[in-house]
Amino acid sequence: QVQVVESGGGLVQPGGSLRLSCAASGRSFSLNTMAWYRQAPGKQREVVAIINSDGRSESLDSGKGRFSVSRDNAKNTMYLQMNGLKPEDTAVYYCRIWASIGDFWGQGTQVTVSA
């Protein structure tokens, strides 16, 4: 099994920034693609950004120019730098990973953008 843990969420004012982290741990696995999803109240979960093992990444239209995804393969960790946050970015942010032994989700971290 692989454990996936997100961190870095919180309350931030509009226009502020947050950096989310997603750390994967376990035995005998290799990481492939990693992705950030989010789910706002009453809405379906949607992909925010995705990054391959070679560092190629893509962000959802709503986050382009504001969100940046990166990863540190040595630490099995992915990051989401979010700048210029808006109230509509309020959601639970989830990490999903695809590993050699399956795909796994984290428990989520709450991001609230409010004055």
Side-chain angles (χ1 to χ4, degrees), residues 13-59:
Q13 292 187 343
S17 297
L18 280 176
R19 189 192 194 206
L20 306 184
S21 298
C22 166
S25 62
R27 286 190 171 185
S28 302
F29 73 97
S30 60
L31 269 181
N32 299 316
T33 300
M34 305 177 78
W36 287 102
Y37 288 73
R38 68 184 181 186
Q39 187 166 19
K43 295 187 177 181
Q44 288 189 331
R45 193 172 296 188
E46 62 178 6
V47 64
V48 175
I50 188 166
I51 185 166
N52 294 329
S53 57
D54 59 4
R56 289 177 297 163
S57 64
E58 185 172 356
S59 297

mmCIF file of all heavy atoms in Angstrom, residues 13-59:
data_model
loop_
_atom_site.group_PDB
_atom_site.id
_atom_site.type_symbol
_atom_site.label_atom_id
_atom_site.label_comp_id
_atom_site.label_asym_id
_atom_site.label_seq_id
_atom_site.Cartn_x
_atom_site.Cartn_y
_atom_site.Cartn_z
ATOM 1 N N GLN A 13 -6.897 35.146 2.493
ATOM 2 C CA GLN A 13 -7.698 36.223 1.918
ATOM 3 C C GLN A 13 -7.606 36.209 0.394
ATOM 4 O O GLN A 13 -6.623 35.718 -0.171
ATOM 5 C CB GLN A 13 -7.210 37.568 2.453
ATOM 6 C CG GLN A 13 -7.479 37.764 3.933
ATOM 7 C CD GLN A 13 -7.129 39.169 4.392
ATOM 8 O OE1 GLN A 13 -6.408 39.908 3.725
ATOM 9 N NE2 GLN A 13 -7.657 39.555 5.553
ATOM 10 N N PRO A 14 -8.615 36.739 -0.265
ATOM 11 C CA PRO A 14 -8.545 36.847 -1.738
ATOM 12 C C PRO A 14 -7.275 37.565 -2.167
ATOM 13 O O PRO A 14 -6.880 38.575 -1.568
ATOM 14 C CB PRO A 14 -9.793 37.660 -2.088
ATOM 15 C CG PRO A 14 -10.761 37.338 -0.994
ATOM 16 C CD PRO A 14 -9.917 37.226 0.251
ATOM 17 N N GLY A 15 -6.651 37.008 -3.192
ATOM 18 C CA GLY A 15 -5.389 37.549 -3.674
ATOM 19 C C GLY A 15 -4.173 36.934 -3.015
ATOM 20 O O GLY A 15 -3.041 37.171 -3.464
ATOM 21 N N GLY A 16 -4.400 36.145 -1.983
ATOM 22 C CA GLY A 16 -3.292 35.538 -1.259
ATOM 23 C C GLY A 16 -2.757 34.291 -1.937
ATOM 24 O O GLY A 16 -3.209 33.909 -3.024
ATOM 25 N N SER A 17 -1.795 33.650 -1.260
ATOM 26 C CA SER A 17 -1.129 32.475 -1.815
ATOM 27 C C SER A 17 -1.090 31.341 -0.791
ATOM 28 O O SER A 17 -1.101 31.585 0.424
ATOM 29 C CB SER A 17 0.309 32.815 -2.209
ATOM 30 O OG SER A 17 0.347 33.796 -3.226
ATOM 31 N N LEU A 18 -1.055 30.147 -1.310
ATOM 32 C CA LEU A 18 -0.854 28.953 -0.492
ATOM 33 C C LEU A 18 -0.014 27.972 -1.292
ATOM 34 O O LEU A 18 -0.066 27.954 -2.531
ATOM 35 C CB LEU A 18 -2.179 28.277 -0.130
ATOM 36 C CG LEU A 18 -3.019 28.835 1.007
ATOM 37 C CD1 LEU A 18 -4.323 28.074 1.119
ATOM 38 C CD2 LEU A 18 -2.273 28.796 2.330
ATOM 39 N N ARG A 19 0.725 27.153 -0.564
ATOM 40 C CA ARG A 19 1.485 26.072 -1.196
ATOM 41 C C ARG A 19 1.066 24.757 -0.564
ATOM 42 O O ARG A 19 1.279 24.539 0.634
ATOM 43 C CB ARG A 19 2.978 26.281 -1.012
ATOM 44 C CG ARG A 19 3.830 25.304 -1.827
ATOM 45 C CD ARG A 19 5.273 25.350 -1.390
ATOM 46 N NE ARG A 19 6.165 24.698 -2.347
ATOM 47 C CZ ARG A 19 7.335 24.167 -2.014
ATOM 48 N NH1 ARG A 19 7.745 24.211 -0.756
ATOM 49 N NH2 ARG A 19 8.092 23.591 -2.934
ATOM 50 N N LEU A 20 0.461 23.906 -1.370
ATOM 51 C CA LEU A 20 0.046 22.585 -0.907
ATOM 52 C C LEU A 20 1.146 21.571 -1.197
ATOM 53 O O LEU A 20 1.873 21.692 -2.188
ATOM 54 C CB LEU A 20 -1.241 22.154 -1.600
ATOM 55 C CG LEU A 20 -2.433 23.104 -1.520
ATOM 56 C CD1 LEU A 20 -3.648 22.472 -2.189
ATOM 57 C CD2 LEU A 20 -2.745 23.488 -0.095
ATOM 58 N N SER A 21 1.227 20.590 -0.328
ATOM 59 C CA SER A 21 2.176 19.498 -0.521
ATOM 60 C C SER A 21 1.439 18.166 -0.495
ATOM 61 O O SER A 21 0.424 18.020 0.195
ATOM 62 C CB SER A 21 3.233 19.497 0.589
ATOM 63 O OG SER A 21 3.988 20.676 0.574
ATOM 64 N N CYS A 22 1.962 17.217 -1.231
ATOM 65 C CA CYS A 22 1.419 15.857 -1.250
ATOM 66 C C CYS A 22 2.590 14.899 -1.162
ATOM 67 O O CYS A 22 3.435 14.881 -2.061
ATOM 68 C CB CYS A 22 0.630 15.614 -2.526
ATOM 69 S SG CYS A 22 0.252 13.872 -2.824
ATOM 70 N N ALA A 23 2.639 14.138 -0.092
ATOM 71 C CA ALA A 23 3.739 13.209 0.115
ATOM 72 C C ALA A 23 3.237 11.774 0.045
ATOM 73 O O ALA A 23 2.248 11.427 0.691
ATOM 74 C CB ALA A 23 4.389 13.463 1.468
ATOM 75 N N ALA A 24 3.931 10.973 -0.726
ATOM 76 C CA ALA A 24 3.595 9.550 -0.858
ATOM 77 C C ALA A 24 4.653 8.718 -0.152
ATOM 78 O O ALA A 24 5.849 8.994 -0.270
ATOM 79 C CB ALA A 24 3.516 9.161 -2.320
ATOM 80 N N SER A 25 4.206 7.715 0.579
ATOM 81 C CA SER A 25 5.147 6.855 1.283
ATOM 82 C C SER A 25 4.651 5.424 1.280
ATOM 83 O O SER A 25 3.456 5.161 1.125
ATOM 84 C CB SER A 25 5.358 7.354 2.716
ATOM 85 O OG SER A 25 4.145 7.302 3.434
ATOM 86 N N GLY A 26 5.556 4.500 1.498
ATOM 87 C CA GLY A 26 5.204 3.092 1.524
ATOM 88 C C GLY A 26 6.405 2.263 1.127
ATOM 89 O O GLY A 26 7.520 2.774 1.021
ATOM 90 N N ARG A 27 6.162 1.006 0.888
ATOM 91 C CA ARG A 27 7.250 0.099 0.526
ATOM 92 C C ARG A 27 7.148 -0.328 -0.918
ATOM 93 O O ARG A 27 6.069 -0.569 -1.435
ATOM 94 C CB ARG A 27 7.198 -1.142 1.424
ATOM 95 C CG ARG A 27 7.672 -0.910 2.834
ATOM 96 C CD ARG A 27 7.819 -2.238 3.575
ATOM 97 N NE ARG A 27 8.468 -2.069 4.846
ATOM 98 C CZ ARG A 27 8.804 -3.081 5.635
ATOM 99 N NH1 ARG A 27 8.551 -4.322 5.257
ATOM 100 N NH2 ARG A 27 9.380 -2.845 6.786
ATOM 101 N N SER A 28 8.292 -0.415 -1.548
ATOM 102 C CA SER A 28 8.420 -1.066 -2.857
ATOM 103 C C SER A 28 7.421 -0.564 -3.886
ATOM 104 O O SER A 28 6.581 -1.325 -4.392
ATOM 105 C CB SER A 28 8.272 -2.588 -2.708
ATOM 106 O OG SER A 28 9.236 -3.080 -1.819
ATOM 107 N N PHE A 29 7.496 0.724 -4.188
ATOM 108 C CA PHE A 29 6.672 1.248 -5.258
ATOM 109 C C PHE A 29 7.446 2.327 -5.990
ATOM 110 O O PHE A 29 8.380 2.916 -5.463
ATOM 111 C CB PHE A 29 5.361 1.835 -4.710
ATOM 112 C CG PHE A 29 5.531 3.141 -3.979
ATOM 113 C CD1 PHE A 29 5.310 4.351 -4.617
ATOM 114 C CD2 PHE A 29 5.921 3.163 -2.645
ATOM 115 C CE1 PHE A 29 5.472 5.553 -3.939
ATOM 116 C CE2 PHE A 29 6.085 4.361 -1.964
ATOM 117 C CZ PHE A 29 5.863 5.557 -2.615
ATOM 118 N N SER A 30 7.040 2.577 -7.194
ATOM 119 C CA SER A 30 7.588 3.698 -7.952
ATOM 120 C C SER A 30 6.427 4.584 -8.383
ATOM 121 O O SER A 30 5.351 4.108 -8.720
ATOM 122 C CB SER A 30 8.371 3.212 -9.167
ATOM 123 O OG SER A 30 7.540 2.463 -10.034
ATOM 124 N N LEU A 31 6.670 5.863 -8.307
ATOM 125 C CA LEU A 31 5.642 6.840 -8.632
ATOM 126 C C LEU A 31 5.626 7.152 -10.118
ATOM 127 O O LEU A 31 6.682 7.333 -10.724
ATOM 128 C CB LEU A 31 5.884 8.135 -7.870
ATOM 129 C CG LEU A 31 5.230 8.300 -6.502
ATOM 130 C CD1 LEU A 31 5.589 9.661 -5.933
ATOM 131 C CD2 LEU A 31 3.731 8.147 -6.602
ATOM 132 N N ASN A 32 4.460 7.253 -10.662
ATOM 133 C CA ASN A 32 4.316 7.689 -12.042
ATOM 134 C C ASN A 32 3.679 9.077 -12.040
ATOM 135 O O ASN A 32 4.235 10.009 -11.510
ATOM 136 C CB ASN A 32 3.531 6.655 -12.829
ATOM 137 C CG ASN A 32 4.229 5.306 -12.864
ATOM 138 O OD1 ASN A 32 5.437 5.240 -13.079
ATOM 139 N ND2 ASN A 32 3.496 4.248 -12.609
ATOM 140 N N THR A 33 2.495 9.182 -12.562
ATOM 141 C CA THR A 33 1.808 10.465 -12.626
ATOM 142 C C THR A 33 1.228 10.845 -11.267
ATOM 143 O O THR A 33 0.824 9.984 -10.477
ATOM 144 C CB THR A 33 0.686 10.396 -13.673
ATOM 145 O OG1 THR A 33 1.270 10.093 -14.943
ATOM 146 C CG2 THR A 33 -0.071 11.701 -13.765
ATOM 147 N N MET A 34 1.232 12.129 -10.995
ATOM 148 C CA MET A 34 0.598 12.676 -9.792
ATOM 149 C C MET A 34 -0.335 13.804 -10.218
ATOM 150 O O MET A 34 -0.074 14.486 -11.222
ATOM 151 C CB MET A 34 1.649 13.218 -8.819
ATOM 152 C CG MET A 34 2.710 12.192 -8.433
ATOM 153 S SD MET A 34 3.991 12.867 -7.350
ATOM 154 C CE MET A 34 3.137 12.871 -5.760
ATOM 155 N N ALA A 35 -1.395 14.003 -9.456
ATOM 156 C CA ALA A 35 -2.372 15.022 -9.842
ATOM 157 C C ALA A 35 -3.034 15.645 -8.622
ATOM 158 O O ALA A 35 -3.150 15.005 -7.573
ATOM 159 C CB ALA A 35 -3.442 14.433 -10.754
ATOM 160 N N TRP A 36 -3.441 16.883 -8.785
ATOM 161 C CA TRP A 36 -4.263 17.586 -7.796
ATOM 162 C C TRP A 36 -5.690 17.665 -8.322
ATOM 163 O O TRP A 36 -5.914 18.012 -9.490
ATOM 164 C CB TRP A 36 -3.739 18.985 -7.550
ATOM 165 C CG TRP A 36 -2.478 19.049 -6.755
ATOM 166 C CD1 TRP A 36 -1.210 19.251 -7.219
ATOM 167 C CD2 TRP A 36 -2.354 18.895 -5.337
ATOM 168 N NE1 TRP A 36 -0.314 19.232 -6.181
ATOM 169 C CE2 TRP A 36 -0.995 19.024 -5.010
ATOM 170 C CE3 TRP A 36 -3.270 18.676 -4.303
ATOM 171 C CZ2 TRP A 36 -0.511 18.927 -3.697
ATOM 172 C CZ3 TRP A 36 -2.799 18.591 -3.006
ATOM 173 C CH2 TRP A 36 -1.440 18.704 -2.711
ATOM 174 N N TYR A 37 -6.625 17.368 -7.448
ATOM 175 C CA TYR A 37 -8.048 17.538 -7.716
ATOM 176 C C TYR A 37 -8.612 18.475 -6.643
ATOM 177 O O TYR A 37 -7.993 18.672 -5.596
ATOM 178 C CB TYR A 37 -8.799 16.202 -7.621
ATOM 179 C CG TYR A 37 -8.550 15.232 -8.739
ATOM 180 C CD1 TYR A 37 -7.334 14.549 -8.851
ATOM 181 C CD2 TYR A 37 -9.538 14.950 -9.679
ATOM 182 C CE1 TYR A 37 -7.113 13.638 -9.867
ATOM 183 C CE2 TYR A 37 -9.335 14.027 -10.699
ATOM 184 C CZ TYR A 37 -8.121 13.377 -10.779
ATOM 185 O OH TYR A 37 -7.920 12.465 -11.793
ATOM 186 N N ARG A 38 -9.796 18.981 -6.910
ATOM 187 C CA ARG A 38 -10.478 19.727 -5.869
ATOM 188 C C ARG A 38 -11.974 19.485 -5.974
ATOM 189 O O ARG A 38 -12.494 19.173 -7.043
ATOM 190 C CB ARG A 38 -10.184 21.233 -5.957
ATOM 191 C CG ARG A 38 -10.765 21.937 -7.182
ATOM 192 C CD ARG A 38 -10.331 23.396 -7.195
ATOM 193 N NE ARG A 38 -10.898 24.111 -8.341
ATOM 194 C CZ ARG A 38 -10.580 25.365 -8.650
ATOM 195 N NH1 ARG A 38 -9.698 26.039 -7.905
ATOM 196 N NH2 ARG A 38 -11.134 25.949 -9.685
ATOM 197 N N GLN A 39 -12.627 19.639 -4.840
ATOM 198 C CA GLN A 39 -14.071 19.467 -4.802
ATOM 199 C C GLN A 39 -14.668 20.556 -3.929
ATOM 200 O O GLN A 39 -14.401 20.613 -2.716
ATOM 201 C CB GLN A 39 -14.453 18.093 -4.269
ATOM 202 C CG GLN A 39 -15.942 17.806 -4.371
ATOM 203 C CD GLN A 39 -16.259 16.340 -4.150
ATOM 204 O OE1 GLN A 39 -15.468 15.583 -3.592
ATOM 205 N NE2 GLN A 39 -17.432 15.917 -4.622
ATOM 206 N N ALA A 40 -15.443 21.418 -4.556
ATOM 207 C CA ALA A 40 -16.134 22.475 -3.841
ATOM 208 C C ALA A 40 -17.486 21.956 -3.357
ATOM 209 O O ALA A 40 -18.019 20.994 -3.921
ATOM 210 C CB ALA A 40 -16.327 23.683 -4.756
ATOM 211 N N PRO A 41 -18.061 22.573 -2.340
ATOM 212 C CA PRO A 41 -19.360 22.122 -1.828
ATOM 213 C C PRO A 41 -20.413 22.073 -2.917
ATOM 214 O O PRO A 41 -20.588 23.047 -3.665
ATOM 215 C CB PRO A 41 -19.694 23.175 -0.776
ATOM 216 C CG PRO A 41 -18.373 23.699 -0.337
ATOM 217 C CD PRO A 41 -17.511 23.687 -1.557
ATOM 218 N N GLY A 42 -21.080 20.934 -3.040
ATOM 219 C CA GLY A 42 -22.148 20.792 -4.009
ATOM 220 C C GLY A 42 -21.691 20.591 -5.445
ATOM 221 O O GLY A 42 -22.519 20.574 -6.360
ATOM 222 N N LYS A 43 -20.391 20.448 -5.635
ATOM 223 C CA LYS A 43 -19.873 20.280 -6.995
ATOM 224 C C LYS A 43 -19.103 18.968 -7.124
ATOM 225 O O LYS A 43 -18.694 18.376 -6.124
ATOM 226 C CB LYS A 43 -18.972 21.455 -7.368
ATOM 227 C CG LYS A 43 -19.710 22.783 -7.454
ATOM 228 C CD LYS A 43 -18.806 23.869 -8.001
ATOM 229 C CE LYS A 43 -19.544 25.178 -8.171
ATOM 230 N NZ LYS A 43 -18.662 26.244 -8.743
ATOM 231 N N GLN A 44 -18.903 18.563 -8.352
ATOM 232 C CA GLN A 44 -18.142 17.346 -8.603
ATOM 233 C C GLN A 44 -16.645 17.613 -8.443
ATOM 234 O O GLN A 44 -16.175 18.743 -8.608
ATOM 235 C CB GLN A 44 -18.425 16.841 -10.021
ATOM 236 C CG GLN A 44 -19.814 16.253 -10.206
ATOM 237 C CD GLN A 44 -19.975 15.580 -11.557
ATOM 238 O OE1 GLN A 44 -19.331 15.958 -12.530
ATOM 239 N NE2 GLN A 44 -20.827 14.586 -11.620
ATOM 240 N N ARG A 45 -15.942 16.561 -8.107
ATOM 241 C CA ARG A 45 -14.494 16.674 -8.011
ATOM 242 C C ARG A 45 -13.923 16.925 -9.411
ATOM 243 O O ARG A 45 -14.342 16.299 -10.386
ATOM 244 C CB ARG A 45 -13.908 15.392 -7.418
ATOM 245 C CG ARG A 45 -12.467 15.490 -6.991
ATOM 246 C CD ARG A 45 -12.026 14.261 -6.237
ATOM 247 N NE ARG A 45 -12.758 14.086 -4.979
ATOM 248 C CZ ARG A 45 -12.451 13.177 -4.077
ATOM 249 N NH1 ARG A 45 -11.420 12.357 -4.279
ATOM 250 N NH2 ARG A 45 -13.177 13.059 -2.972
ATOM 251 N N GLU A 46 -12.963 17.838 -9.499
ATOM 252 C CA GLU A 46 -12.375 18.170 -10.794
ATOM 253 C C GLU A 46 -10.854 18.193 -10.683
ATOM 254 O O GLU A 46 -10.294 18.479 -9.629
ATOM 255 C CB GLU A 46 -12.859 19.544 -11.262
ATOM 256 C CG GLU A 46 -12.472 20.702 -10.368
ATOM 257 C CD GLU A 46 -12.928 22.052 -10.897
ATOM 258 O OE1 GLU A 46 -13.650 22.104 -11.908
ATOM 259 O OE2 GLU A 46 -12.553 23.068 -10.288
ATOM 260 N N VAL A 47 -10.210 17.894 -11.782
ATOM 261 C CA VAL A 47 -8.752 17.914 -11.793
ATOM 262 C C VAL A 47 -8.266 19.357 -11.872
ATOM 263 O O VAL A 47 -8.846 20.187 -12.580
ATOM 264 C CB VAL A 47 -8.208 17.066 -12.959
ATOM 265 C CG1 VAL A 47 -8.612 17.634 -14.291
ATOM 266 C CG2 VAL A 47 -6.713 16.906 -12.844
ATOM 267 N N VAL A 48 -7.233 19.636 -11.120
ATOM 268 C CA VAL A 48 -6.648 20.981 -11.083
ATOM 269 C C VAL A 48 -5.357 21.024 -11.887
ATOM 270 O O VAL A 48 -5.146 21.932 -12.684
ATOM 271 C CB VAL A 48 -6.372 21.407 -9.629
ATOM 272 C CG1 VAL A 48 -5.658 22.753 -9.586
ATOM 273 C CG2 VAL A 48 -7.668 21.458 -8.842
ATOM 274 N N ALA A 49 -4.505 20.048 -11.672
ATOM 275 C CA ALA A 49 -3.222 20.004 -12.355
ATOM 276 C C ALA A 49 -2.698 18.580 -12.306
ATOM 277 O O ALA A 49 -3.013 17.818 -11.386
ATOM 278 C CB ALA A 49 -2.226 20.958 -11.702
ATOM 279 N N ILE A 50 -1.884 18.260 -13.293
ATOM 280 C CA ILE A 50 -1.336 16.920 -13.377
ATOM 281 C C ILE A 50 0.123 17.028 -13.801
ATOM 282 O O ILE A 50 0.485 17.923 -14.574
ATOM 283 C CB ILE A 50 -2.154 16.063 -14.368
ATOM 284 C CG1 ILE A 50 -1.725 14.609 -14.329
ATOM 285 C CG2 ILE A 50 -2.066 16.623 -15.769
ATOM 286 C CD1 ILE A 50 -2.719 13.679 -15.035
ATOM 287 N N ILE A 51 0.953 16.143 -13.253
ATOM 288 C CA ILE A 51 2.374 16.187 -13.581
ATOM 289 C C ILE A 51 2.897 14.755 -13.733
ATOM 290 O O ILE A 51 2.627 13.888 -12.902
ATOM 291 C CB ILE A 51 3.165 16.974 -12.509
ATOM 292 C CG1 ILE A 51 4.631 17.125 -12.917
ATOM 293 C CG2 ILE A 51 3.029 16.356 -11.119
ATOM 294 C CD1 ILE A 51 5.385 18.170 -12.098
ATOM 295 N N ASN A 52 3.636 14.541 -14.815
ATOM 296 C CA ASN A 52 4.199 13.219 -15.083
ATOM 297 C C ASN A 52 5.528 13.044 -14.358
ATOM 298 O O ASN A 52 6.092 14.002 -13.812
ATOM 299 C CB ASN A 52 4.400 13.043 -16.587
ATOM 300 C CG ASN A 52 3.096 13.012 -17.335
ATOM 301 O OD1 ASN A 52 2.091 12.559 -16.814
ATOM 302 N ND2 ASN A 52 3.093 13.517 -18.549
ATOM 303 N N SER A 53 6.037 11.832 -14.397
ATOM 304 C CA SER A 53 7.283 11.536 -13.696
ATOM 305 C C SER A 53 8.470 12.288 -14.276
ATOM 306 O O SER A 53 9.467 12.511 -13.589
ATOM 307 C CB SER A 53 7.554 10.032 -13.711
ATOM 308 O OG SER A 53 7.592 9.548 -15.040
ATOM 309 N N ASP A 54 8.365 12.697 -15.542
ATOM 310 C CA ASP A 54 9.464 13.452 -16.150
ATOM 311 C C ASP A 54 9.285 14.958 -15.992
ATOM 312 O O ASP A 54 10.063 15.734 -16.551
ATOM 313 C CB ASP A 54 9.606 13.094 -17.621
ATOM 314 C CG ASP A 54 8.347 13.387 -18.419
ATOM 315 O OD1 ASP A 54 7.395 13.936 -17.848
ATOM 316 O OD2 ASP A 54 8.313 13.052 -19.620
ATOM 317 N N GLY A 55 8.258 15.363 -15.249
ATOM 318 C CA GLY A 55 8.072 16.774 -14.950
ATOM 319 C C GLY A 55 7.137 17.529 -15.873
ATOM 320 O O GLY A 55 6.844 18.709 -15.642
ATOM 321 N N ARG A 56 6.653 16.886 -16.902
ATOM 322 C CA ARG A 56 5.699 17.556 -17.776
ATOM 323 C C ARG A 56 4.391 17.747 -17.024
ATOM 324 O O ARG A 56 3.894 16.833 -16.390
ATOM 325 C CB ARG A 56 5.477 16.761 -19.049
ATOM 326 C CG ARG A 56 6.644 16.769 -20.017
ATOM 327 C CD ARG A 56 6.350 15.905 -21.205
ATOM 328 N NE ARG A 56 6.183 14.504 -20.813
ATOM 329 C CZ ARG A 56 5.606 13.584 -21.570
ATOM 330 N NH1 ARG A 56 5.108 13.918 -22.746
ATOM 331 N NH2 ARG A 56 5.511 12.333 -21.169
ATOM 332 N N SER A 57 3.843 18.942 -17.105
ATOM 333 C CA SER A 57 2.656 19.249 -16.317
ATOM 334 C C SER A 57 1.619 19.992 -17.136
ATOM 335 O O SER A 57 1.919 20.573 -18.183
ATOM 336 C CB SER A 57 3.051 20.081 -15.090
ATOM 337 O OG SER A 57 3.573 21.327 -15.484
ATOM 338 N N GLU A 58 0.425 19.974 -16.617
ATOM 339 C CA GLU A 58 -0.682 20.687 -17.253
ATOM 340 C C GLU A 58 -1.635 21.140 -16.163
ATOM 341 O O GLU A 58 -1.900 20.403 -15.212
ATOM 342 C CB GLU A 58 -1.403 19.791 -18.254
ATOM 343 C CG GLU A 58 -2.487 20.508 -19.046
ATOM 344 C CD GLU A 58 -3.049 19.643 -20.159
ATOM 345 O OE1 GLU A 58 -2.538 18.527 -20.360
ATOM 346 O OE2 GLU A 58 -3.993 20.070 -20.818
ATOM 347 N N SER A 59 -2.151 22.364 -16.284
ATOM 348 C CA SER A 59 -3.083 22.903 -15.301
ATOM 349 C C SER A 59 -4.446 23.121 -15.937
ATOM 350 O O SER A 59 -4.556 23.432 -17.118
ATOM 351 C CB SER A 59 -2.566 24.226 -14.748
ATOM 352 O OG SER A 59 -1.354 24.044 -14.054
#
